[in-house]
Amino acid sequence: MSLTRRTVLTAAAAAAAAPVIAPAGTAQGAAHAAAPATDPATDPATAPVSGQRLMSGMHARHRFDLRAEPVDLFGRELRLTQSRVHQQVAFDPVTGLAYVTQIISDGRQLADESAPVPGAERDRRGDLCISEVAPDGTVRAAMYLRGVGHGGGLGIEHTDGRPHLWLETDATPVTSGFAYGKRIGRIAFAPSAIVDAGSPQIEVFDPVPGSSGVTPSLDTEHGRIGVRHGSGATAEYRVYDLAAFKRRDFTPLYRFPALYRTQAWCLYGDLVHQNEGSAYGPANPSPGNSWWNVYDVTTGLMIERRFNTTALGLSHRETESITVRRTPDGPQLVFGFATQEPGPRRMALYGITSTTDGTSDHVPWTTLEYDTAVYTPNSNNYVPQYRQVGNRIDLHLRLSRTDKAPWTTGEKILTLPPHIRPNRTQGMVGQTTGAGVTGSLTVRWEVLTDGSLHIYDPRGLTGWIGLDAGYFTS
């Protein structure tokens, strides 16, 4: 049965890949509120950690095991109230209801509008629909917020017996493309309500004045709120005490650069989980380019970067939402894909409850396809394989030509799968047999951006050639 049709009763743990430990910047405490001195895209900070570590060890207790097999939360792809891609999801910690953001559909006319509004107009203004979804996948209600942003951040706070939405607001309209919020807003969810940015119904917070692309994530269990702001090399995460934030004390507990393009993100405990990836297409065929990036907020370090292989069989698989919700079995990391193209988009959500302390991490080797009629491995131990650790790829092989003919310089040995191809040519040093070889026992290898792996040596070698080396995809 396809994973897209599994129910929450069919969960099973399965080994996949292991994490990468990579510097992503330095978390700064409240006494170090200046912006990072270096460009995080080109010079990740490596200075000592500053600021006091709060709730020490929290990240270990709440580090989800991204190797575990996710469960399908609803057992199907859900149709929401709008035809657009869902952006983010969050759960009411009291009722368990899910709330989902979408840009309002093309041609939709709200009750107070005189005519249907084109989708491009909704995009450029930042008009959102928030759907309320029951545990069985039924859409119970919808609320409309115009001029607030793109919907990439969402948190739910249950107070006074009602769910309150935390999301971006006060988007500046753009000429074309998407408008993004520049402040944080808080508003009680009200079925069928239509509210415009600037309304007194929206409580506004401005933690990073003058910034753009501001999105929140709420962690009510640990009394914190996270804010992401900026874009590209200037993107940054900040973590605040929630009670202080509500008093408009915008002194961050931690701040650190955000690496990689993000679709959605969430804060839970001492960790930020970041979803990265785009839809299947000619330039991004299956298995796609969906990644999880996990940061320790107390250090600003990226402690895990893992390729997401969930639901590869979806006909349209576009990385979108990520959040943490409470379940009877403990916290659950929930993430989703937008599906169905063409036609009204649907939402597929999956969850991981298993946790890890990182001590049992293991990186398995995966066999590579090669032409068995042309090449023969020295033994089963030398069949071409790769191992992926974040954006580093290790290759292992030892091959001979079956016809015993000399190797030709520039000969293509095999082609790597799309998700491990580098963004520029990478060179590596391999080995050759010592029998009958004059000169160096090393040979040069190159992997090109199209994934082709080549051997370069003009000596006309006739023995085996091998490779135990690695390269970086970016």
Side-chain angles (χ1 to χ4, degrees), residues 180-320:
Y180 295 89
K182 54 182 181 286
R183 300 182 182 91
I184 302 299
R186 178 180 181 269
I187 184 173
F189 180 83
S192 302
I194 303 170
V195 181
D196 291 303
S199 165
Q201 295 180 59
I202 303 178
E203 185 179 7
V204 177
F205 303 85
D206 193 10
V208 193
S211 190
S212 61
V214 179
T215 56
S217 179
L218 205 62
D219 179 8
T220 56
E221 184 168 342
H222 302 107
R224 290 177 171 180
I225 183 172
V227 171
R228 178 188 169 102
H229 71 97
S231 61
T234 67
E236 181 187 58
Y237 289 112
R238 298 188 181 193
V239 179
Y240 304 86
D241 175 81
L242 179 58
F245 190 93
K246 292 167 78 171
R247 297 193 305 267
R248 289 175 171 74
D249 177 356
F250 300 132
T251 304
L253 302 172
Y254 304 105
R255 56 183 297 188
F256 53 95
L259 301 185
Y260 301 101
R261 178 177 178 269
T262 184
Q263 292 284 24
W265 67 281
C266 67
L267 169 70
Y268 187 74
D270 278 352
L271 297 181
V272 159
H273 289 80
Q274 179 185 19
N275 247 0
E276 172 197 353
S278 53
Y280 284 161
N284 182 40
S286 179
N289 59 2
S290 184
W291 291 83
W292 286 301
N293 301 314
V294 185
Y295 300 83
D296 181 337
V297 305
T298 69
T299 64
L301 296 179
M302 184 182 294
I303 62 172
E304 186 169 6
R305 175 168 163 80
R306 185 180 298 278
F307 189 70
N308 186 348
T309 59
T310 305
L312 295 178
L314 290 173
S315 59
H316 181 87
R317 179 178 179 268
E318 185 172 353
T319 306
E320 292 296 345

Side-chain angles (χ1 to χ4, degrees), residues 52-115:
Q52 180 183 5
R53 180 183 176 88
L54 301 182
M55 289 178 267
S56 179
M58 181 184 294
H59 71 284
R61 296 198 304 274
H62 298 144
R63 182 175 167 188
F64 294 97
D65 187 355
L66 302 181
R67 300 165 302 178
E69 183 177 352
V71 296
D72 187 327
L73 263 60
F74 298 107
R76 66 188 189 280
E77 299 159 32
L78 299 185
R79 173 74 187 274
L80 301 170
T81 59
Q82 309 301 302
S83 62
R84 307 292 294 276
V85 168
H86 85 281
Q87 299 295 325
Q88 180 61 305
V89 63
F91 291 83
D92 188 316
V94 175
T95 67
L97 295 173
Y99 294 83
V100 188
T101 61
Q102 293 174 284
I103 298 287
I104 297 175
S105 294
D106 179 33
R108 182 66 57 90
Q109 180 179 350
L110 302 185
D112 65 345
E113 296 172 341
S114 60

